[in-house]
Amino acid sequence: MADLNLKSLHPFLQHNGTTLDNDSRIESYTHDHGEGAILCMIHGYPQSSYMSVIPALKDNYSLFVPELPNYGISTTSMPWNKRDMGTLLLRALHATLKSGSTRPIIWCSHDRGARIGHRLLTSPSSLTQNIKAAIFMDIVPSLEQWKSFANPAASVAYFHWPFLARPDAPEMITSMGGAKYCRLIMERGKGQNDAGVASMQSDDAWDHYCAVFDTKAAIDGSCADYTDGAMPECEAQTEDQKAGRKVQVPLLVLYSEGSLARMHDVPKVWKDWATGELECVGVGEGHGHYFPESRPEFVVEQVKRWVAKVLS
């Protein structure tokens, strides 16, 4: 199943391999209209770009769908930090889509992909200047997530956060088996909606995720992501808040009512981290953390609505 990729699922996409700085290679999938808005769609943990929402968006927007560096497919020797990983992704976008450096970009992302977007948008540069709006799915800022661990329920639900940040986590996951561990994480976050779970598992998606994750590269790289997301990212976000560095572009936050919202008042949290237009929309009906795959039609509806609103 590791040989499956987004192009094998959606043949209309173009597969790109972009080499940057000699030892970084970003694998991505694109559908380019040559003009207009670009959706930069970034996956989360422990997944890959194998997304089911793509066909419903291709006629409306150009698409750039990369594989996160060191999650088993894209590669880099750079130490993991969210700003540098986001910079690699934007450079690859600029290299693969016509006029990618000047057209409006919507950062549309789930989980770890959203956290990369959050770091980029609080650390603006010439590369981020044409990100005109963002969609973050099922996150609160990392600092807020760590603070919530004073609640035992949150600590149990998100046990993998401190676990993956430990230096011995890769060895322990390898001992269990990367594929078995990946399936465990997916099971824990799948939600209670039976039709949604079936949607998540369609097109052999879980088998694909598990096959990709059953590699040393994916285990080591994703643990490095969570290590950076502990002390380094929390320290950076503490300084961001002190300095008033917040998300300034229009931001739509989609969140799971039965998962993330059980631990956080999501709209209230984000009001303190964004100064631009902010909208928070809950996803209910028993859908869990992976609602982009379990309820894709709702996500597509919200993406289209938000993009039309912010680019009108």
Side-chain angles (χ1 to χ4, degrees):
M1 290 296 174
D3 58 340
L4 290 175
N5 59 42
L6 194 60
K7 183 173 175 58
S8 64
L9 183 61
H10 305 307
F12 60 83
L13 292 169
Q14 177 177 322
H15 179 204
N16 315 281
T18 306
T19 300
L20 303 166
D21 305 327
N22 297 320
D23 64 350
S24 297
R25 182 177 174 86
I26 302 300
E27 304 292 336
S28 67
Y29 305 91
T30 54
H31 180 70
D32 192 3
H33 294 287
E35 60 182 5
I38 299 167
L39 285 186
C40 183
M41 306 184 69
I42 317 294
H43 68 85
Y45 179 90
Q47 297 172 290
S48 73
S49 68
Y50 203 69
M51 301 176 186
S52 58
V53 298
I54 300 298
L57 296 168
K58 71 179 181 67
D59 292 338
N60 301 87
Y61 318 104
S62 294
L63 306 174
F64 177 73
V65 192
E67 302 285 358
L68 278 179
N70 291 355
Y71 265 64
I73 299 175
S74 293
T75 58
T76 182
S77 64
M78 296 173 61
W80 185 280
N81 73 74
K82 291 173 178 58
R83 182 174 183 177
D84 287 348
M85 296 304 116
T87 296
L88 286 176
L89 297 179
L90 285 174
R91 289 175 62 198
L93 182 156
H94 292 173
T96 56
L97 278 86
K98 181 180 179 181
S99 304
S101 62
T102 57
R103 290 157 61 188
I105 295 171
I106 310 296
W107 190 277
C108 182
S109 49
H110 175 239
D111 189 74
R112 309 310 288 183
R115 297 189 187 284
I116 291 175
H118 188 201
R119 171 49 48 210
L120 287 175
L121 291 170
T122 51
S123 309
S125 69
S126 59
L127 282 173
T128 64
Q129 63 185 357
N130 56 324
I131 299 178
K132 301 303 182 183
I135 302 168
F136 293 169
M137 288 183 256
D138 222 39
I139 70 162
V140 293
S142 298
L143 181 61
E144 300 289 350
Q145 185 79 322
W146 283 104
K147 287 179 179 179
S148 75
F149 285 6
N151 175 355
S155 296
V156 171
Y158 297 98
F159 79 95
H160 59 292
W161 276 54
F163 167 63
L164 295 174
R166 290 179 54 86
D168 50 3
E171 180 181 357
M172 288 190 277
I173 293 173
T174 302
S175 295
M176 179 180 184
K180 185 176 181 179
Y181 178 81
C182 178
R183 192 169 294 273
L184 168 70
I185 295 296
M186 298 297 295
E187 285 282 353
R188 288 178 61 90
K190 68 183 181 182
Q192 305 299 317
N193 187 296
D194 291 341
V197 174
S199 174
M200 286 176 64
Q201 296 175 332
S202 62
D203 298 311
D204 300 315
W206 282 26
D207 291 337
H208 170 67
Y209 299 147
C210 291
V212 172
F213 201 82
D214 201 27
T215 63
K216 184 178 188 325
I219 293 170
D220 289 352
S222 59
C223 287
D225 176 10
Y226 277 83
T227 299
D228 171 72
M231 279 74 77
E233 184 67 10
C234 285
E235 291 169 0
Q237 290 191 350
T238 298
E239 292 304 312
D240 288 341
Q241 289 293 82
K242 288 180 181 178
R245 293 188 292 266
K246 301 175 189 284
V247 177
Q248 298 180 23
V249 302
L251 173 62
L252 171 65
V253 178
L254 302 178
Y255 63 93
S256 54
E257 293 178 352
S259 182
L260 189 67
R262 291 175 57 225
M263 311 299 171
H264 302 274
D265 183 336
V266 178
K268 182 179 179 181
V269 168
W270 275 108
K271 282 180 181 178
D272 194 38
W273 290 81
T275 58
E277 182 177 3
L278 171 66
E279 190 173 327
C280 298
V281 178
V283 182
E285 300 181 4
H287 291 275
H289 176 61
Y290 299 104
F291 62 77
E293 266 58 64
S294 72
R295 201 179 175 192
E297 70 288 344
F298 181 79
V299 171
V300 168
E301 174 188 307
Q302 292 297 316
V303 168
K304 290 181 177 179
R305 179 188 64 80
W306 185 247
V307 175
K309 180 179 181 180
V310 299
L311 296 184
S312 61

